[in-house]
Amino acid sequence: MENLLLIADSTYASKDENGDLYFRGSFSAKTWERYLKIADKIHFICREDKKIYSKEVAIQQLQKCPSNRIDVSFVLNPKESFSNYFNPAISRYNKKLLKDAISEANGIIIRTLGCVSASFIIRIIRKNRKKYLYECVGNAWDALWYYGIKGKLLAPSAYYTEKKLAANANAVLYVTEKYLQRWYPTKAPQIGISDVDIPVSTTDVLEARIKKINQRTSTLILGTAGSVEVTYKGQEYVIRAIAELNHRGVSNIEYQLAGNGDNSRLRKIAIEEGIDNKIIFLGALSHDAVIKWLDSIDIYIQPSMLEGMPRALIEAMSRGLPCIGSNVGGIPELLDENSMFTKKKVKEIADHIEKMSINFMKEQAERNYLYSKKFYDVQKDNNRINFYKAFEKQCTT
């Protein structure tokens, strides 16, 4: 494809003191490689981070633009302030930018949309006789609903935008196999490919895990990776489940939490439940440190109240860990049905922990290790590129 238009207007682009361009979040060099394989040139539309970073900070915190084949234009965010929302000049600017970009593109991929209405984008695409592929990378409703009053006000609009984009697309790539498909259905050609990539694990990982389970000590170490500051990760319910087990006479449990953020809320809950000596806050860990930590614990728990396709859970599975998790988002696509509980249900969590026999742990360790192979890079990348190329053929007909 000569000219690909990629729209992800919830993503920010930043510059360092030398004017070099960087991106946040999921737009790594590996992500860009996918698009560069199908396009000679990419016009990327996103938001602008007006802060100028030092080169050192930019390299540490952001993802550098990997190619001079990527041109960037910035939309203005009408939801950034009250005055922006009622400023017609912002709407006019965004609409002209997108009209011009769509008219020049050979094909269009929409990843996120929030600064211009879906109806407008779809109308302009159809008017120009162009086609678009929609990448459904998350549940807009869940992503906003748990972020206070403002999030609850924005969630319905974001939900209907995502639903309309999927319904009218010429092709849809979902990052789940079933979950997002139920929320945002399409009749167009579709595929489910997770955007979580994990390195290939050798069989000695599983062998080491089985050996560890057979040599299980009296203390059972549980673990969760994720921010300890946000409430929707659900760690408080595991803390309360450990207190429940304590009341049942099961006291040989330790819960380790890896993740950044202020842990004072969770620490207070542990103190109130009288089990603060059983709760260990590890803080933020490097990726290598996370892998070593996963190998050191006995059970991984994903107690989230909302979730897409959780990378931390998949990495835990790839280390042969027995895992339990809440029945939300993409978690039911990953875990055995006997390893899931209803979100926020403390007694269900306690029951799952209490029933963890050595035989069940070994069974789940092998099951999870084998299932995690679905997330190895090579096959997923091939499937994704083939889907992009099929869309490219649509654009030429």
Side-chain angles (χ1 to χ4, degrees):
M1 187 181 298
E2 185 179 345
N3 187 7
L4 171 67
L5 173 61
L6 175 61
I7 304 171
D9 72 359
S10 64
T11 296
Y12 284 85
S14 311
K15 291 181 180 178
D16 67 13
E17 56 204 358
N18 299 325
D20 292 331
L21 199 63
Y22 297 80
F23 304 108
R24 291 188 196 172
S26 59
F27 279 88
S28 63
K30 184 171 179 59
T31 302
W32 281 113
E33 183 183 345
R34 300 169 187 167
Y35 301 120
L36 289 165
K37 282 181 179 178
I38 62 164
D40 298 328
K41 199 168 189 62
I42 299 173
H43 184 184
F44 184 46
I45 293 183
C46 61
R47 299 183 193 180
E48 181 182 16
D49 178 4
K50 295 181 180 178
K51 178 181 176 181
I52 303 298
Y53 292 80
S54 70
K55 189 173 186 66
E56 181 182 5
V57 171
I59 290 172
Q60 288 177 348
Q61 298 182 3
L62 305 169
Q63 310 278 348
K64 190 172 183 180
C65 181
S67 173
N68 58 10
R69 291 157 52 200
I70 302 168
D71 290 331
V72 177
S73 297
F74 300 116
V75 287
L76 302 176
N77 183 10
K79 299 168 186 173
E80 193 171 56
S81 67
F82 187 78
S83 59
N84 275 14
Y85 194 80
F86 292 99
N87 185 347
I90 287 178
S91 177
R92 285 197 299 270
Y93 170 84
N94 286 344
K95 286 181 177 181
K96 184 178 187 310
L97 170 65
L98 286 157
K99 279 182 180 179
D100 292 345
I102 289 167
S103 68
E104 295 170 3
N106 301 116
I108 300 151
I109 294 179
I110 301 175
R111 193 172 169 95
T112 56
L113 194 65
C115 294
V116 180
S117 76
S119 296
F120 170 80
I121 288 282
I122 293 167
R123 186 171 69 251
I124 298 302
I125 289 173
R126 299 291 183 252
K127 185 177 180 180
N128 282 271
R129 297 182 179 179
K130 302 295 173 69
K131 295 180 179 179
Y132 77 93
L133 183 152
Y134 178 50
E135 293 191 348
C136 192
V137 296
N139 188 336
W141 179 277
D142 278 352
L144 290 165
W145 188 256
Y146 288 90
Y147 281 94
I149 297 299
K150 184 179 179 181
K152 285 178 170 57
L153 292 172
L154 294 174
S157 173
Y159 164 72
Y160 284 111
T161 289
E162 196 162 355
K163 192 167 185 178
K164 187 173 290 187
L165 287 171
N168 289 276
N170 302 101
V172 182
L173 188 153
Y174 299 92
V175 298
T176 61
E177 292 182 358
K178 297 177 182 177
Y179 169 63
L180 289 171
Q181 287 87 330
R182 288 195 297 267
W183 276 79
Y184 307 104
T186 187
K187 294 180 180 179
Q190 61 177 278
I191 195 169
I193 303 177
S194 171
D195 56 357
V196 176
D197 294 321
I198 59 169
V200 175
S201 294
T202 54
T203 54
D204 61 337
V205 169
L206 180 59
E207 291 168 2
R209 174 58 58 185
I210 298 299
K211 182 178 179 181
K212 180 175 174 59
I213 293 171
N214 283 329
Q215 296 175 346
R216 175 175 161 181
T217 61
S218 58
T219 300
L220 189 68
I221 301 177
L222 317 177
T224 298
S227 171
V228 295
E229 191 166 358
V230 296
T231 58
Y232 64 81
K233 284 298 181 182
Q235 298 98 323
E236 70 173 275
Y237 303 105
V238 181
I239 294 172
R240 297 188 192 282
I242 293 170
E244 165 70 19
L245 288 168
N246 223 29
H247 293 316
R248 298 180 189 180
V250 183
S251 58
N252 59 334
I253 296 175
E254 179 176 293
Y255 184 33
Q256 298 183 1
L257 294 91
N260 60 3
D262 180 1
N263 63 33
S264 58
R265 181 184 66 89
L266 293 176
R267 191 178 294 278
K268 182 181 178 183
I269 292 170
I271 291 170
E272 288 172 351
E273 294 285 359
I275 57 166
D276 53 300
N277 62 322
K278 299 179 184 294
I279 311 301
I280 310 297
F281 294 96
L282 302 175
L285 301 177
S286 68
H287 185 260
D288 287 345
V290 166
I291 298 302
K292 289 180 181 178
W293 168 69
L294 289 172
D295 288 342
S296 73
I297 65 176
D298 297 306
I299 299 170
Y300 183 83
I301 303 183
Q302 193 78 39
S304 311
M305 297 188 307
L306 68 94
E307 199 62 77
M309 189 59 72
R311 180 186 179 89
L313 176 56
I314 295 168
E315 288 197 330
M317 293 168 69
S318 76
R319 306 309 295 179
L321 263 165
C323 302
I324 60 175
S326 54
N327 59 348
V328 302
I331 296 175
E333 297 181 19
L334 300 175
L335 296 183
D336 184 286
E337 62 181 1
N338 294 316
S339 295
M340 285 184 292
F341 52 84
T342 309
K343 66 179 181 181
K344 301 200 239 182
K345 294 296 184 180
V346 170
K347 288 188 177 181
E348 283 189 33
I349 299 172
D351 290 342
H352 275 282
I353 296 169
E354 193 171 16
K355 77 176 184 182
M356 279 287 177
S357 66
I358 287 178
N359 284 340
F360 185 74
M361 290 175 71
K362 288 195 291 187
E363 174 189 308
Q364 292 301 306
E366 183 174 5
R367 183 259 177 210
N368 291 343
Y369 172 79
L370 294 174
Y371 192 90
S372 72
K373 291 184 177 184
K374 292 179 64 173
F375 297 90
Y376 290 171
D377 296 1
V378 177
Q379 188 57 50
K380 287 199 309 157
D381 286 348
N382 290 340
N383 291 344
R384 187 184 289 109
I385 293 301
N386 288 337
F387 190 71
Y388 285 154
K389 287 183 176 178
F391 168 67
E392 183 181 7
K393 286 183 180 178
Q394 284 193 60
C395 295
T396 59
T397 58

